Amino acid sequence: MLDVSGLGIRFGGNHAVRDVTASIAAGQITAIIGPNGAGKSTFFNLISGFYQPTSGSITFRGEDITRLKTHQVVGRGIARTFQTTTIYKDLSVLENAMIGHRIRTRAGLLDALLRTARERQDDAGSRAGARQALERVGLASQADRPAGALTQEGQKRVGIAMALSSDPKLLLLDEPAAGMNPEETVNLMGLIRDLVAGGLTVALVEHKMSLVMGLANQIVVLHHGQKIAQGTPQQVGHDPAVVEAYLGSHAHGGQMGHNTTDPQEAGHA
Ligand code: ADP
Ligand code: MG
């Protein structure tokens, strides 16, 4: 579904992502893992058009999308959530999902300000898209409540609904389980499984190894911006380069595949 080839971006002298060649298969769950600062979020920013790569190419469903802008990437069927979700707590759950639709499908502020006939159509479209997205994340019955009244887990679901409101084919989740307790994490895993069963392809960045090992069909490991491994959870868990990357950056880090080990928390243990 998605192929990146030789993908890289430099910030000054810092190669945040360097020469990454990897692919994401349709209908699967791909986990991107790696120590803090490995370039995982930057990788998502490149795919979703927030950053322009300094080298390499991105192909989505046979089309070169390397130079497309964010709203064009969304139009092709890729949506993402952010590491820190911004939801509007005073607005209703439905309004949040509608905003998600707008900021994802519009060219920009000017476009939003030019009130045309299309505007009304867009409103209807975003309302329908938003309602559908809320249904998919199990929040249909909460649509009219202020988003801030939901639990932490509910608010995370709103963030996912904001991304789903553009009806993507590929959903990128950046640390969806961050701050979640074990029960919430299990619920989130159920939601992601349901979305994939419904036809969605998912790529996610996550530190919680229980989620990664429980969900991922394939894992891509980044370290200092470079891909050091790609394979099934089994393959990657036994890869010496991966084990070393984690041990090197986490003083008390455990071996991958150890279900209860969270490398981020282990590092702070
Ligand atoms: P991860 O998500 O794996 O923790 P990031 O992708 O956020 O890592 O960051 C990778 C590297 O890229 C870091 O060194 C970070 O400082 C750098 N970086 C990311 N975005 C920018 C930016 N906009 N400007 C400068 N450096 C950046
Ligand atoms: Mg990150």
Side-chain angles (χ1 to χ4, degrees), residues 35-42 83 174-175 205 207:
N36 277 327
K40 305 179 298 295
S41 293
T42 304
Q83 204 168 329
D174 198 347
E175 301 201 19
V205 167
H207 284 292

PDB file of all heavy atoms in Angstrom, residues 35-42 83 174-175 205 207, ligand 2:
ATOM      1  N   PRO A  35      14.056   3.767  20.023  1.00  0.00           N
ATOM      2  CA  PRO A  35      14.260   4.623  21.193  1.00  0.00           C
ATOM      3  C   PRO A  35      13.780   6.060  20.940  1.00  0.00           C
ATOM      4  O   PRO A  35      13.567   6.458  19.789  1.00  0.00           O
ATOM      5  CB  PRO A  35      15.778   4.605  21.397  1.00  0.00           C
ATOM      6  CG  PRO A  35      16.262   3.398  20.655  1.00  0.00           C
ATOM      7  CD  PRO A  35      15.318   3.194  19.518  1.00  0.00           C
ATOM      8  N   ASN A  36      13.633   6.827  21.999  1.00  0.00           N
ATOM      9  CA  ASN A  36      13.263   8.236  21.866  1.00  0.00           C
ATOM     10  C   ASN A  36      14.244   8.956  20.947  1.00  0.00           C
ATOM     11  O   ASN A  36      15.443   8.752  21.050  1.00  0.00           O
ATOM     12  CB  ASN A  36      13.273   8.929  23.224  1.00  0.00           C
ATOM     13  CG  ASN A  36      11.970   8.693  23.959  1.00  0.00           C
ATOM     14  OD1 ASN A  36      10.912   8.586  23.338  1.00  0.00           O
ATOM     15  ND2 ASN A  36      12.038   8.596  25.277  1.00  0.00           N
ATOM     16  N   GLY A  37      13.699   9.794  20.062  1.00  0.00           N
ATOM     17  CA  GLY A  37      14.550  10.553  19.155  1.00  0.00           C
ATOM     18  C   GLY A  37      15.001   9.765  17.943  1.00  0.00           C
ATOM     19  O   GLY A  37      15.803  10.247  17.142  1.00  0.00           O
ATOM     20  N   ALA A  38      14.467   8.549  17.760  1.00  0.00           N
ATOM     21  CA  ALA A  38      14.888   7.684  16.653  1.00  0.00           C
ATOM     22  C   ALA A  38      14.401   8.185  15.293  1.00  0.00           C
ATOM     23  O   ALA A  38      14.907   7.769  14.257  1.00  0.00           O
ATOM     24  CB  ALA A  38      14.400   6.256  16.881  1.00  0.00           C
ATOM     25  N   GLY A  39      13.396   9.071  15.309  1.00  0.00           N
ATOM     26  CA  GLY A  39      12.875   9.593  14.054  1.00  0.00           C
ATOM     27  C   GLY A  39      11.493   9.073  13.701  1.00  0.00           C
ATOM     28  O   GLY A  39      11.015   9.267  12.583  1.00  0.00           O
ATOM     29  N   LYS A  40      10.816   8.458  14.661  1.00  0.00           N
ATOM     30  CA  LYS A  40       9.521   7.836  14.396  1.00  0.00           C
ATOM     31  C   LYS A  40       8.460   8.873  14.025  1.00  0.00           C
ATOM     32  O   LYS A  40       7.764   8.729  13.017  1.00  0.00           O
ATOM     33  CB  LYS A  40       9.071   7.019  15.619  1.00  0.00           C
ATOM     34  CG  LYS A  40      10.106   5.986  16.071  1.00  0.00           C
ATOM     35  CD  LYS A  40       9.644   5.214  17.296  1.00  0.00           C
ATOM     36  CE  LYS A  40       9.411   6.049  18.549  1.00  0.00           C
ATOM     37  NZ  LYS A  40      10.636   6.692  19.093  1.00  0.00           N
ATOM     38  N   SER A  41       8.319   9.913  14.854  1.00  0.00           N
ATOM     39  CA  SER A  41       7.316  10.945  14.552  1.00  0.00           C
ATOM     40  C   SER A  41       7.678  11.676  13.266  1.00  0.00           C
ATOM     41  O   SER A  41       6.799  12.022  12.469  1.00  0.00           O
ATOM     42  CB  SER A  41       7.210  11.943  15.712  1.00  0.00           C
ATOM     43  OG  SER A  41       6.670  11.317  16.855  1.00  0.00           O
ATOM     44  N   THR A  42       8.960  11.901  13.064  1.00  0.00           N
ATOM     45  CA  THR A  42       9.410  12.563  11.836  1.00  0.00           C
ATOM     46  C   THR A  42       9.047  11.722  10.617  1.00  0.00           C
ATOM     47  O   THR A  42       8.624  12.254   9.581  1.00  0.00           O
ATOM     48  CB  THR A  42      10.932  12.807  11.892  1.00  0.00           C
ATOM     49  OG1 THR A  42      11.232  13.564  13.062  1.00  0.00           O
ATOM     50  CG2 THR A  42      11.418  13.555  10.658  1.00  0.00           C
ATOM     51  N   GLN A  83       1.066  12.901  18.499  1.00  0.00           N
ATOM     52  CA  GLN A  83       1.545  12.359  19.765  1.00  0.00           C
ATOM     53  C   GLN A  83       0.796  13.001  20.920  1.00  0.00           C
ATOM     54  O   GLN A  83       0.420  12.348  21.874  1.00  0.00           O
ATOM     55  CB  GLN A  83       3.056  12.603  19.863  1.00  0.00           C
ATOM     56  CG  GLN A  83       3.766  11.651  20.779  1.00  0.00           C
ATOM     57  CD  GLN A  83       5.285  11.730  20.628  1.00  0.00           C
ATOM     58  OE1 GLN A  83       5.792  12.018  19.551  1.00  0.00           O
ATOM     59  NE2 GLN A  83       5.985  11.506  21.710  1.00  0.00           N
ATOM     60  N   ASP A 174       0.271   8.008  16.314  1.00  0.00           N
ATOM     61  CA  ASP A 174       1.531   8.295  16.995  1.00  0.00           C
ATOM     62  C   ASP A 174       1.348   8.168  18.506  1.00  0.00           C
ATOM     63  O   ASP A 174       0.726   9.020  19.133  1.00  0.00           O
ATOM     64  CB  ASP A 174       2.024   9.702  16.621  1.00  0.00           C
ATOM     65  CG  ASP A 174       3.502   9.888  16.926  1.00  0.00           C
ATOM     66  OD1 ASP A 174       4.094   9.042  17.633  1.00  0.00           O
ATOM     67  OD2 ASP A 174       4.083  10.899  16.459  1.00  0.00           O
ATOM     68  N   GLU A 175       1.867   7.099  19.047  1.00  0.00           N
ATOM     69  CA  GLU A 175       1.792   6.783  20.480  1.00  0.00           C
ATOM     70  C   GLU A 175       0.358   6.847  21.021  1.00  0.00           C
ATOM     71  O   GLU A 175       0.065   7.590  21.961  1.00  0.00           O
ATOM     72  CB  GLU A 175       2.729   7.696  21.278  1.00  0.00           C
ATOM     73  CG  GLU A 175       4.179   7.551  20.811  1.00  0.00           C
ATOM     74  CD  GLU A 175       5.200   8.011  21.848  1.00  0.00           C
ATOM     75  OE1 GLU A 175       4.849   8.100  23.036  1.00  0.00           O
ATOM     76  OE2 GLU A 175       6.345   8.262  21.452  1.00  0.00           O
ATOM     77  N   VAL A 205       3.134   4.168  15.934  1.00  0.00           N
ATOM     78  CA  VAL A 205       4.335   4.329  16.734  1.00  0.00           C
ATOM     79  C   VAL A 205       3.915   4.078  18.168  1.00  0.00           C
ATOM     80  O   VAL A 205       2.921   4.643  18.625  1.00  0.00           O
ATOM     81  CB  VAL A 205       4.900   5.760  16.605  1.00  0.00           C
ATOM     82  CG1 VAL A 205       5.953   6.013  17.674  1.00  0.00           C
ATOM     83  CG2 VAL A 205       5.474   5.985  15.217  1.00  0.00           C
ATOM     84  N   HIS A 207       5.435   2.796  22.306  1.00  0.00           N
ATOM     85  CA  HIS A 207       6.464   2.307  23.222  1.00  0.00           C
ATOM     86  C   HIS A 207       5.988   1.105  24.024  1.00  0.00           C
ATOM     87  O   HIS A 207       6.794   0.339  24.528  1.00  0.00           O
ATOM     88  CB  HIS A 207       6.885   3.414  24.201  1.00  0.00           C
ATOM     89  CG  HIS A 207       7.776   4.426  23.578  1.00  0.00           C
ATOM     90  ND1 HIS A 207       9.063   4.140  23.176  1.00  0.00           N
ATOM     91  CD2 HIS A 207       7.575   5.723  23.260  1.00  0.00           C
ATOM     92  CE1 HIS A 207       9.616   5.224  22.655  1.00  0.00           C
ATOM     93  NE2 HIS A 207       8.736   6.195  22.687  1.00  0.00           N
TER      94      HIS A 207
HETATM   95 MG    MG B   2       7.729  10.749  18.627  1.00  0.00          MG
END
